[in-house]
Structure formats: structure tokens, C-alpha cells
Amino acid sequence: MQEPPADRRGQGALPRGMGGIALLYVEDEADARSMVAKMIAMNYPGLAIYSAENGAAGLRMYAEHVPDIVMTDINMPVMDGIRMSREIRNLNPDARIIAVTAHSDTSYLLSAIEIGIHNYVLKPLNYQELFSVMDKVLEEIVLKRLVEEQNRRISESERQLSAAQRIAHLGSWQRHLPSGEMQWSDEMFRICGVEPGALPSTYLSFLELFLPEDREKIEEAMRDALAVEKPQTHHFCRVLRPDGSVRMVRIEAELLPDQKGRAESVVGTCHDVTELKEAEEQVRSLTEGLERRVVQRTSLLQTTVSELESFSYFVSHDLRAPVARLEGFCRALIEDCGVCGNPSCRQYAERSEGVVRQIKLIMDAFSSLTHYARCALAIQEVDLSAVARNVAEHLGHEEPGRKVEFIIAGGIRVQGDATLLRTAMEHLLGNAWKFTSKRERGVIEFGRMEKEGATAFFVRDNGAGFNMKYADKLFKPFQTIHTPGEYPGGTGIGLAMVHSIVLRHGGRIWAEGEVDRGATFIFTLEQNPESGSYLKEG
Amino acid sequence: MAESYILLVEDNPDDAFLATRIIGKVCPEKVLLARDGEEAIELLHRMTQDQSYKQIRLVLLDLKLPKISGLEVLQAIRSSDELRFLFVVVLTSSDNDLDQERCWELGVLDYIFKPMAAERLQSVLLRCGRG
């Protein structure tokens, strides 16, 4: 046995990433066995090495560890190398066996060829020769493993592609132009309602899948694919399944040139969009229905509004003349009955005049109320905090003797009509001012709160409050819930106007309160209220 | 001195009555009543012929009238050589801005909305009664 060449050291390391390779060395001569095993271990760090002293022990060892490489002596007691190799080959036809032999006779060679021993190293052992054989075998193993890994990856991605196609209902196909042959993915077959491979894969049978009136679209898709300068388009076609059902598919085709750039094939996809199309159709019909209803309701609303319009015209114009006449007659009566001597006469005339004044007040109130329902809104940003502070200041100036604390939250900005919102704030704060008049120390608060996920605004006071069972009456015109004379002043339509204004801003208003424990008026406003008016222009 | 008149053109009998009553309280003039625009124009035409139009101190004119409107009566007055200088006061319940503008253009002494007629009518009457 000669010394290993110095330059071999470290070069026989296992190829990168090839951990887990094992070698079984079978040799009956103990010194040689340990020496060679040591030498291999030194040159191939990372290689697992098992050794056995004869064929029988080697076979047991093989069955236990299934090493990639078996290096064996031929002449051994108990079981020789040839027999062991045969047995190993039976267990694993791919086993790589290196024979270490002094034999060169024909019978040995025949046996070795028969068993499939492709590599051998002659005795006496030459390390250079051994390592070159080892390198060759290892390289084969590495290559084999690489190929296996690639195959595994390919079949994995094929499996994924097929699953993805199945999940997405997306089939694919490829048409070879010169031959007319086609390849279809499994999903392509399934979309057409047949088992994969159940139809001949030709362009003709492909065309026949579609409804006759849609076949021209397929031809067009093919022509478009060939005309490279054309932008890629898609076509919706209908597939007729053998069971008679019809599927809507979206076909896309693209030219696939061969390696020399010749127009050899067209590849494409076939996407089953039946359900998508149905859903789309449903959405469209729902939308259309909704639009029709909106149009209907709008016209109903417009009718109602114009009826309201003519009604309010009737009140503010047609009714005014007779009321003015009535007023004139009352006046005439009062003036002329001074001489009549009957005191009831004059009193009745005066009270009649009072009634006429009431009628005129109601008519004026009605006109202002309808004004808020009809007028055009000019939407802009309004600083409600600033409006509240300003209104509070005015109230304070009017009655400087009152002790009222205003707590006004800052930075409340909304979108709305500045004039209308100011009117609303004037009424709400004015109301709070009025109903805290009997308090030693009034507290009026304006702020913002979250109500059912939306922003709401509130005006709260510690004044007279109200009984919640009258809460509905608060916003109706001329409905008062306090005894006449208890809180004088006010038109009886203040809150009704606020209600109108809030409605015009797409909001809601309500009140919470308790007798003698104050009231809170809460309102919301649409974030982007519509400008203009409900009435048609002109 | 010949009698002088106030011509009241008013279709509503109640309004005519009330206006006459107010006129009677502050003016000595006799009230001539025309109950629509046609009657007013005919009356004015006759008064032009017999020259009695000169005795008209004031025309109180409603705008909304049957047959011929108050505005047309006003136009007829302003386009007549004889009548063009007559004092006219409009008494109306119309708040139509165009009507009002047109009336001021044609020349009126005042434009009175009916619901507040009484006091203002009295003051207008007193003003032109002194003239």
C-alpha cells in the first residue's frame, strides 16, 4: 500500500449539499480495512463510512444503513464479494458497487458484469486510482440526486398548476399551427364537461366545443394572436357541454414563437366565467331595478314637493287677500262701533282682530317653515364652534343680568349652509337660554359625541327640561309643552325650523330630557350634504 | 269748483268697500268704481271725450283684474296724450317683482301690497290730497 499523494488532501471533499452520502467498505483483512477506511474518511469529510469483515456481515450492514456506495473485496471468508454484491443488487438495483480486486480472469469479469459492478480498483490498492473512482461514483450520485430533485420540482409545480387551474376554472391550451394538433390542460377538458383526454386534441374538435354562432370569435382570437401588432384582446364564447349545459368562457390567445422566432404555436387560456357572468348580470339587473326605483321615487318626491309648493303659494298668497279683508272689516268694526254703546260689540271686534293677527302669524310661520324646506343650500365648511360662541355672546348682550356659563367645544367644523346652520344654532341655544332663565346659574353646553358609530352634535342645558312623553311634540310647529306664560317669547316654530334645517342637511334631530333636570338636543348632519334645492330649476 | 274724483279699479267688492271706506275718511273726493280693466278703460275714454278726466285726482289700480289687467290699464293711461299725467297708485297682492318693476317704469306714485294697505293708503291719500 503506498502513501496517498499530498495534493489529494482536502480535494475529495463531498460536493456541496451532498450530505448524507454513506459508504460501506467490506474487507476481511483488518489492517487494510482500518487503514483504507481512515484514508477515505480523511479525504471525504462528511461521508459516512461503515465497514464489515466479510460478505455476510457486509450484507447485514447494507440492509441496516442502505449506503449509497459499496466498496468490497472479492475473496473473503463466509461470503465472498461477488455473492454479497448479487444479494445487494437484489435489494437495490441502483446500488453503486466498487470492487477491489486482484482478479482479472474471465469468470470474475463475467460475474462482475452480470451483477452490474461497473467500477473496480485493482489490488494492491493505489490511492490515486481509488480516489478517481470514488470521485466518478460520487459525481454520478450527485447528478442522479439533482435529476431526482428537478423531477420532483417539476411534478410538484405541475400538480400545483393543475390544482390552480381547477380552483380558478382556468383551462389552458396550445395549438401547433403546422399540424393542427392541440394540447389541452386537464381543466380545459373539465370545463368542456368531459374527462381529461376524452376528446381528440385537434383544432377541429376544439372549435366544435363552442356554439356554432360563437366559432367565428375563436377564429378571430387566433387571427388576433397571429397579428402581433394588434393589442391583446379577449373573447367571450359559449361552450356546449355534452350534457346540454352551456358555459360562458373567456378565451385569450397569444402567439408562442419557437426558438427561431417562427410562428409555430398559439397558446391560450379558457376561463370558465359562467358564475362570474351570472353574478355580473344579477348586479346589473339589481342596479337597473334600483335606478328605476330611484327615478320613480324622485318623481314622486318631486310631485310631492311641487304640491307642497303650490300649497304654500296658496297659503302665502291666495289666503292673504281674504285675511287682509277680514282684518280690514275688523278694524272698520272697531272704529265704527264706538258709538254703538254695547260693550260686548267692541270687545268681540277687538278679539276678532286678535284672531286675525294669530292667523297672520301662523301664515308667516308656515311661510318660513316652507322656506327652509325649499330654499337652495350653499354648502361650505362651517365652524359650528365659532357660530355657537357668537350666538352665546349675543344672548349675553341681550340679557346682561343673567348668569349663564357656556361650555363650547372647539374645532367643530361641518359641511353645510352657513345661514341655515346659524339659524338652527340660534334657536337651539336661544331655547336653552330661555329654559334656564329660572336657574340661579345656567349651564349651556355645545359639543360633539359619538352616537351609533356616527358623529352627533348636542346642545345641553340644566334648565326646565321636559317630560320624555312629550318628546315627539317638540319639533312640531305651534306645539308647546309648557304652560302658556311660563316661558314667554318664541314663535312656536323655532324647533320646527331647526328640524327642517337638520333634515335638509341629511341629518336627524331628537331630544332627551327630564322635568327640572335639563334637556339635551342631539343632531347629526350628513358629511357631504347636497347643494341646491329639491325643486327643479326654472 | 267742479267735483273731483278718485277712480278705484278693483274687482273684489270687499276690497272695493274697504278702500272706499278708507278714502272716505281722509278725502272729500267722490269714488268712481270700475270692476275690471275693460270698464276702467271705457270709463276713462268717456271722461277723455267730455273732458271730465281733468277732475280725476288719483287712480287706485288693482293689478289682477278680469278681462284687461291693471298693468294694461296703466299702459293705456301712460300712452294717452290726455291721461298720461294722471296720478296712479297700485294696490296689489302680487309680489311679482317684474310687475312691480314695470309699474315703477311706467310711473306710479306708490305700489302698495294689499295685506298692509290701510295705513299706507291713508298716508298716500293724505299726501296727494294736499297736492
Side-chain angles (χ1 to χ4, degrees):
Chain A
M1 227 179 276
Q2 56 187 136
E3 279 300 302
D7 64 343
R8 270 302 310 184
R9 285 180 187 272
Q11 283 190 13
L14 291 176
R16 223 183 289 257
M18 287 307 298
I21 295 186
L23 174 129
L24 170 65
Y25 179 39
V26 190
E27 168 66 63
D28 58 336
E29 206 179 305
D31 286 348
R33 193 165 67 233
S34 78
M35 182 67 194
V36 171
K38 217 176 274 172
M39 197 54 78
I40 292 174
M42 268 165 61
N43 275 276
Y44 298 95
L47 181 73
I49 300 168
Y50 307 101
S51 54
E53 69 278 15
N54 60 49
L59 194 57
R60 278 198 301 280
M61 200 68 103
Y62 185 87
E64 190 180 334
H65 299 289
V66 198
D68 304 87
I69 308 164
V70 178
M71 187 158 91
T72 183
D73 191 13
I74 300 299
N75 283 328
M76 286 180 294
V78 189
M79 185 190 279
D80 69 15
I82 294 288
R83 234 182 92 196
M84 181 193 76
S85 296
R86 187 175 285 124
E87 295 294 328
I88 286 173
R89 279 297 206 180
N90 284 340
L91 287 173
N92 177 13
D94 288 337
R96 287 173 192 275
I97 298 166
I98 303 171
V100 182
T101 180
H103 290 269
S104 53
D105 58 84
T106 321
S107 83
Y108 159 73
L109 281 175
L110 282 177
S111 306
I113 288 165
E114 183 212 329
I115 298 162
I117 298 172
H118 294 115
N119 305 289
Y120 65 92
V121 186
L122 283 173
K123 272 188 174 175
L125 211 52
N126 171 320
Y127 281 111
Q128 206 150 11
E129 200 188 333
L130 171 68
F131 292 147
S132 107
V133 168
M134 281 285 290
D135 286 349
K136 190 178 135 220
V137 170
L138 281 169
E139 199 179 328
E140 280 170 14
I141 292 172
V142 168
L143 269 177
K144 187 161 175 274
R145 285 201 175 179
L146 265 178
V147 168
E148 276 167 6
E149 175 65 13
Q150 287 299 337
N151 280 340
R152 198 189 55 74
R153 282 197 193 154
I154 288 168
S155 74
E156 177 66 14
S157 73
E158 270 177 357
R159 215 173 52 77
Q160 273 182 18
L161 179 65
S162 164
Q165 288 206 353
R166 189 170 40 72
I167 292 165
H169 302 298
L170 180 72
S172 60
W173 49 267
Q174 181 167 346
R175 176 189 170 199
H176 185 240
L177 294 168
S179 67
E181 289 288 316
M182 284 190 86
Q183 281 157 4
W184 297 1
S185 73
D186 288 357
E187 185 57 22
M188 179 74 208
F189 284 100
R190 279 194 287 267
I191 289 171
C192 301
V194 295
E195 285 301 308
L199 282 174
S201 307
T202 62
Y203 182 51
L204 199 63
S205 60
F206 181 76
L207 269 184
E208 281 172 352
L209 292 170
F210 297 91
L211 290 184
E213 57 266 42
D214 285 0
R215 285 175 198 163
E216 175 51 31
K217 286 194 208 163
I218 301 292
E219 301 270 39
E220 197 185 322
M222 295 291 176
R223 282 195 300 273
D224 286 355
L226 289 173
V228 267
E229 73 279 4
K230 267 203 171 182
Q232 237 200 307
T233 51
H234 58 260
H235 296 264
F236 288 103
C237 310
R238 285 159 300 168
V239 165
L240 179 62
R241 283 183 172 176
D243 66 5
S245 61
V246 171
R247 307 295 296 177
M248 177 63 80
V249 297
R250 180 185 148 124
I251 295 285
E252 273 176 279
E254 202 180 293
L255 185 65
L256 184 71
D258 67 3
Q259 280 166 346
K260 289 175 187 160
R262 286 175 306 205
E264 280 277 288
S265 300
V266 175
V267 287
T269 54
C270 171
H271 189 187
D272 187 340
V273 292
T274 313
E275 280 76 21
L276 279 178
K277 276 273 170 192
E278 277 168 7
E280 204 179 286
E281 197 48 49
Q282 251 174 359
V283 168
R284 187 178 335 180
S285 86
L286 277 175
T287 312
E288 276 171 9
L290 207 58
E291 272 167 9
R292 264 199 308 278
R293 264 156 58 192
V294 167
V295 168
Q296 268 175 10
R297 296 224 172 135
T298 309
S299 90
L300 266 177
L301 186 67
Q302 223 121 38
T303 313
T304 314
V305 168
S306 52
E307 271 167 12
L308 173 72
E309 180 79 338
S310 55
F311 179 67
S312 57
Y313 187 88
F314 158 72
V315 172
S316 58
H317 295 84
D318 298 354
L319 209 52
R320 254 173 219 286
V323 167
R325 275 170 215 138
L326 190 56
E327 192 184 21
F329 283 114
C330 288
R331 191 96 292 267
L333 200 55
I334 292 165
E335 283 168 7
D336 290 2
C337 81
V339 288
C340 130
N342 184 341
S344 308
C345 229
R346 193 184 166 83
Q347 200 197 348
Y348 295 161
E350 277 168 359
R351 292 189 80 155
S352 302
E353 203 184 29
V355 171
V356 172
R357 270 198 299 274
Q358 277 175 18
I359 295 174
K360 287 170 77 176
L361 270 179
I362 293 176
M363 282 164 55
D364 287 343
F366 181 83
S367 292
S368 3
L369 274 180
T370 50
H371 169 74
Y372 290 116
R374 285 156 33 185
C375 68
L377 300 188
I379 303 299
Q380 62 186 87
E381 191 181 85
V382 181
D383 184 344
L384 277 188
S385 302
V387 171
R389 277 193 293 272
N390 191 269
V391 172
E393 211 172 294
H394 276 275
L395 289 167
H397 280 309
E398 277 171 30
E399 284 181 78
R402 295 257 324 256
K403 281 190 189 128
V404 175
E405 185 194 354
F406 277 98
I407 305 167
I408 293 168
I412 300 182
R413 289 191 171 81
V414 298
Q415 290 291 315
D417 182 292
T419 315
L420 262 58
L421 288 178
R422 184 181 170 94
T423 306
M425 290 301 287
E426 278 170 357
H427 282 291
L428 287 173
L429 293 168
N431 231 32
W433 179 266
K434 184 164 98 182
F435 289 105
T436 48
S437 62
K438 293 186 179 163
R439 286 277 177 275
E440 178 82 10
R441 198 179 157 72
V443 179
I444 297 173
E445 201 182 336
F446 170 65
R448 177 165 40 191
M449 56 162 84
E450 290 302 310
K451 208 85 187 172
E452 290 151 25
T455 302
F457 312 94
F458 66 90
V459 173
R460 182 183 292 143
D461 66 59
N462 65 341
F466 61 91
N467 188 330
M468 277 302 275
K469 72 177 169 189
Y470 303 130
D472 287 351
K473 288 179 115 187
L474 286 172
F475 301 100
K476 300 217 165 89
F478 307 114
Q479 301 268 7
T480 48
I481 59 173
H482 296 277
T483 322
E486 202 180 354
Y487 290 97
T491 55
I493 58 160
L495 286 176
M497 286 199 299
V498 175
H499 186 233
S500 257
I501 291 169
V502 168
L503 280 187
R504 281 303 303 277
H505 285 78
R508 231 158 49 81
I509 184 164
W510 68 97
E512 291 162 4
E514 204 178 317
V515 174
D516 267 340
R517 309 195 73 162
T520 306
F521 286 84
I522 304 153
F523 63 98
T524 62
L525 298 170
E526 171 68 36
Q527 277 185 333
N528 289 301
E530 258 181 74
S531 291
S533 143
Y534 293 131
L535 297 168
K536 282 180 189 155
E537 296 299 320
Chain B
M1 188 182 151
E3 200 179 15
S4 60
Y5 308 115
I6 286 179
L7 172 58
L8 175 62
V9 190
E10 171 62 71
D11 61 322
N12 185 289
D14 288 333
D15 281 348
F17 173 84
L18 288 166
T20 308
R21 188 179 163 277
I22 291 167
I23 295 164
K25 289 171 79 166
V26 289
C27 305
E29 281 83 2
K30 187 181 174 197
V31 176
L32 301 176
L33 178 65
R35 282 161 303 178
D36 60 56
E38 197 180 74
E39 212 179 295
I41 283 174
E42 275 170 14
L43 181 63
L44 285 167
H45 184 67
R46 275 204 309 279
M47 293 177 84
T48 310
Q49 284 176 334
D50 67 11
Q51 299 288 307
S52 62
Y53 74 90
K54 291 175 178 166
Q55 287 150 257
I56 299 175
R57 162 143 282 160
L58 182 69
V59 180
L60 284 173
L61 185 62
D62 187 10
L63 287 186
K64 218 173 84 185
L65 291 170
K67 298 179 191 171
I68 293 175
S69 77
L71 202 58
E72 287 170 288
V73 174
L74 180 59
Q75 274 164 340
I77 289 172
R78 292 294 175 241
S79 56
S80 149
D81 287 340
E82 292 85 1
L83 304 174
R84 54 197 283 206
F85 298 114
L86 279 179
F87 286 148
V88 178
V89 169
V90 169
L91 264 178
T92 182
S93 56
S94 158
D95 62 353
N96 185 326
D97 289 346
L98 278 176
D99 280 355
Q100 194 172 351
E101 207 173 298
R102 191 80 190 103
C103 287
W104 289 117
E105 270 171 23
L106 288 166
V108 291
L109 206 59
D110 204 350
Y111 192 98
I112 301 176
F113 291 109
K114 269 184 180 168
M116 48 169 94
E119 290 80 8
R120 190 148 165 190
L121 179 57
Q122 274 187 351
S123 87
V124 170
L125 288 169
L126 288 171
R127 260 193 288 153
C128 68
R130 280 197 289 274

